[in-house]
Amino acid sequence: MAKQLDYKTIREIFTRFQAASAEPKGELDHVNAYTLLVAVALSAQATDAGVNRATRELFKIADTPEKMLELGEEELIEHIKTIGLYRNKAKNVMKLSRILIDRFDGQVPNSRAALQSLPGVGRKTANVVLNMWWSYPAQAVDTHIFRVGNRTGIAPGKDVDAVERAIEDNVPVDFQQHAHHWLILHGRYHCKARAPMCQTCIIRDLCQFEEKRL
């Protein structure tokens, strides 16, 4: 685990991220808050690209909780069976769709506690929805962000909760809204787990990673 970077260095890192991509976007396809919630729930232990392939036709016919219940669990499975843990995920999607109708008038709630009360929705999923749909500066820490936070010194922590707190505490407020996407995209395409692309990294001179590749 790298040592926590100072405020000035972190500000410079995010200034560079912003210069490279001013408005970073999540890569899960969706058309409304409900389809975003479903897509994020399906993405656990799966790639965004794989989820997008599975939901491309699904969201054309089931983009609301009502339509999803009408579609039915077995038909849902036919659409998402290429995704890992698809049977359990299908059950959760049907359950959360019913709860959205019964408790939330068919609308996706915009509080973390309410989102986490839904089947298959943990803190990370809730934070993604809050960030991407309601522009709340929530930090959803996945494996990419955990790796980048610890390697670079931007947000070191022993677990995802510690990394989330470190981002909230140490990233300047004007970068908080997009911090999650800058970090996840950097981890996905540059600071990779097995073969980090240090030689072309825009923050190489600021990063604390001791095993930088030449």
Side-chain angles (χ1 to χ4, degrees), residues 159-173:
D159 54 40
V160 293
D161 291 336
V163 170
E164 181 182 335
R165 289 194 298 272
I167 295 172
E168 293 174 345
D169 290 345
N170 296 293
V171 174
V173 67

Side-chain angles (χ1 to χ4, degrees), residues 14-97:
F14 281 92
T15 297
R16 294 183 189 182
F17 284 157
Q18 185 178 59
S21 177
E23 295 285 336
K25 304 293 184 184
E27 296 183 321
L28 284 172
D29 294 338
H30 59 282
V31 296
N32 54 28
Y34 174 72
T35 54
L36 174 61
L37 174 63
V38 171
V40 179
L42 293 176
S43 71
Q45 299 183 47
T47 65
D48 287 0
V51 172
N52 289 340
R53 285 193 295 271
T55 60
R56 187 171 296 121
E57 296 303 317
L58 172 66
F59 290 160
K60 291 179 181 179
I61 57 175
D63 59 356
T64 67
E66 294 83 359
K67 291 178 183 178
M68 190 65 76
L69 290 178
E70 184 178 341
L71 182 70
E73 186 174 325
E74 290 306 313
E75 193 63 32
L76 171 59
I77 285 174
E78 286 301 308
H79 284 276
I80 68 170
K81 62 185 179 182
T82 56
I83 301 174
L85 306 175
Y86 65 90
R87 290 193 180 278
N88 191 53
K89 290 177 180 178
K91 290 182 184 300
N92 284 334
V93 168
M94 302 311 287
K95 289 178 182 177
L96 72 82
S97 296

Side-chain angles (χ1 to χ4, degrees), residues 36-37 40-41 43-44 115 120-130 140:
L36 174 61
L37 174 63
V40 179
S43 71
L115 285 166
V121 178
R123 186 178 180 89
K124 184 181 76 172
T125 296
N127 282 349
V128 172
V129 175
L130 290 172

